[in-house]
Amino acid sequence: MASLLRLQALSLTLTSPRCLPSRILRSVSPVSPLVRRLSAAASPEQRASETDLESGLYLVATPIGNLEDITLRALRVLKCAHVILSEDTRHSGKLLQHYNIKTPLLSFHKFNEREREPSILKRLHEGEAVAVISDAGTPGISDPGMELARVCASEKIPVIPIPGPSAAIAALSASGLPTDEFTFVGFLPKHGRSRKVRLEVSAREAATQIFYVPPHGIHQFLSDAASSFGDSRPCVIAREITKLHEEFWRGTLGEANEAFATRQPKGEITLLIEGNSISADETPSDDFLEHELKEMMAEGHALSSAVKLVAEATSAKKKDVYALALRLFGK
């Protein structure tokens, strides 16, 4: 059955219109009479030599595990682009081989982004269509592509998103946590103090918090998160999404610390933590505000900055927090 599905997916890509301009595909169905006339009018040699993608930077989302999770539009763009910028050409080569895509690959990762940028911009200014893919998911989201997209936008070069898989959104949709408001944090800073500051900020937010965690860092993350969010805060650990061993673990941060203490999971992890449940009409106690102020001051915030952050994160009035801060720390 799996082989049949792959053959069907491959058949769809081979029978879909070859490299028709986006402006035509947006207004015409692939099976419309106009498309059939266009295909019939062009000789095989003409169709084979087409480079009909409009010039621009195409950010193409690719599967995060299951190779069937790719759109027909993504396959067309990858097939018709002049070049594909790839985070890991060996990894991406398997995807392109699976779908019989022959477009040249050029390595593009965090260690050579700056070096590659001038030549890529030159190609774009000369009218080429450049596709960007990461190892998995959507380029620019905790992956290479963000800076190049920013530069292209500033130079009036079209930046075209080709939507598709994203581990953060896939995990959120199936997590069972609130989805009406969320914050995507991605990977935490490596420096210990910076990690703590970022977790403290997330712990005060009411929105669901979404993190990317490397498998070797799960134990440290859970320990740090429990310290900032509290052991009782609900969380979801999603790993190997769309793959054979897909897992959604649900519980509290305290329970997660126990469950993963002797377990070393494989695969990239998307970890979600429920937002702060203090209701808008619940006035925090002076003891709670004092604790929060001391935390902010210990992290190096000035008194005015600490007051502002604590007031924004709670339902307390700023003037009341300021008065308490003056009693604790003076002017």
Side-chain angles (χ1 to χ4, degrees):
M1 178 61 75
S3 298
L4 178 59
L5 287 172
R6 286 196 292 272
L7 286 172
Q8 288 173 334
L10 181 57
S11 174
L12 281 170
T13 66
L14 294 176
T15 57
S16 61
R18 284 180 55 87
C19 306
L20 286 171
S22 298
R23 60 179 178 277
I24 293 178
L25 286 174
R26 280 195 290 266
S27 59
V28 181
S29 165
V31 295
S32 71
L34 176 57
V35 171
R36 287 198 294 269
R37 287 200 299 273
L38 286 170
S39 299
S43 68
E45 291 76 19
Q46 287 173 317
R47 289 198 297 271
S49 64
E50 283 176 338
T51 52
D52 288 308
L53 269 188
E54 295 172 359
S55 176
L57 184 72
Y58 292 79
L59 303 177
V60 184
T62 55
I64 56 177
N66 193 316
L67 291 183
E68 295 174 17
D69 295 334
I70 192 166
T71 68
L72 294 177
R73 186 183 178 204
L75 291 171
R76 180 179 64 82
V77 169
L78 293 177
K79 184 175 293 186
C80 300
H82 291 85
V83 66
I84 299 172
L85 306 182
S86 166
E87 187 175 4
D88 184 334
T89 55
R90 292 168 300 178
H91 179 87
S92 299
K94 297 175 184 178
L95 173 70
L96 301 189
Q97 183 179 16
H98 181 80
Y99 286 105
N100 196 31
I101 295 171
K102 308 295 186 183
T103 307
L105 280 172
L106 182 66
S107 67
F108 183 75
H109 45 71
K110 64 181 180 179
F111 301 109
N112 71 0
E113 278 184 286
R114 295 284 186 179
E115 176 188 342
R116 295 281 196 212
E117 193 175 280
S119 62
I120 294 167
L121 290 173
K122 182 175 183 292
R123 298 179 72 152
L124 287 164
H125 281 300
E126 290 174 351
E128 290 195 11
V130 176
V132 181
I133 61 176
S134 60
D135 285 350
T138 302
I141 308 300
S142 288
D143 274 326
M146 178 185 71
E147 185 62 24
L148 182 59
R150 186 191 66 80
V151 173
C152 286
S154 69
E155 296 193 14
K156 310 302 181 187
I157 296 171
V159 179
I160 305 101
I162 309 299
S166 168
I169 299 303
L172 177 65
S173 68
S175 67
L177 298 178
T179 61
D180 52 343
E181 186 179 359
F182 60 91
T183 299
F184 174 70
V185 181
F187 291 103
L188 285 176
K190 292 183 178 181
H191 188 267
R193 179 174 175 79
S194 299
R195 288 169 58 87
K196 177 176 172 56
V197 170
R198 188 62 190 84
L199 285 170
E200 291 290 345
V201 170
S202 286
R204 294 190 293 272
E205 292 193 20
T208 299
Q209 304 293 295
I210 307 176
F211 302 89
Y212 284 163
V213 182
H216 64 270
I218 184 65
H219 302 127
Q220 184 65 54
F221 180 93
L222 289 173
S223 175
D224 292 344
S227 175
S228 297
F229 288 79
D231 283 339
S232 62
R233 188 76 70 92
C235 70
V236 175
I237 299 173
R239 66 176 197 90
E240 297 288 86
I241 302 174
T242 78
K243 296 181 182 179
L244 180 62
H245 300 292
E246 177 179 277
E247 177 187 17
F248 279 81
W249 186 96
R250 298 173 174 88
T252 66
L253 284 169
E255 291 167 343
N257 260 313
E258 292 181 11
F260 286 86
T262 58
R263 179 182 171 191
Q264 181 58 63
K266 296 180 180 180
E268 293 294 336
I269 294 167
T270 303
L271 201 150
L272 307 92
I273 304 178
E274 189 171 294
N276 194 336
S277 61
I278 295 179
S279 62
D281 57 355
E282 181 182 343
T283 303
S285 66
D286 282 356
D287 287 343
F288 176 83
L289 293 175
E290 179 179 339
H291 174 268
E292 293 298 297
L293 284 168
K294 286 181 177 179
E295 285 287 314
M296 291 293 100
M297 297 290 283
E299 290 168 9
H301 290 282
L303 187 141
S304 59
S305 175
V307 168
K308 182 175 183 291
L309 288 170
V310 171
E312 288 177 350
T314 67
S315 59
K317 294 180 180 179
K318 187 175 179 181
K319 65 177 183 179
D320 294 336
V321 179
Y322 186 67
L324 178 60
L326 287 178
R327 291 202 303 271
L328 291 171
F329 306 105
K331 293 186 178 180

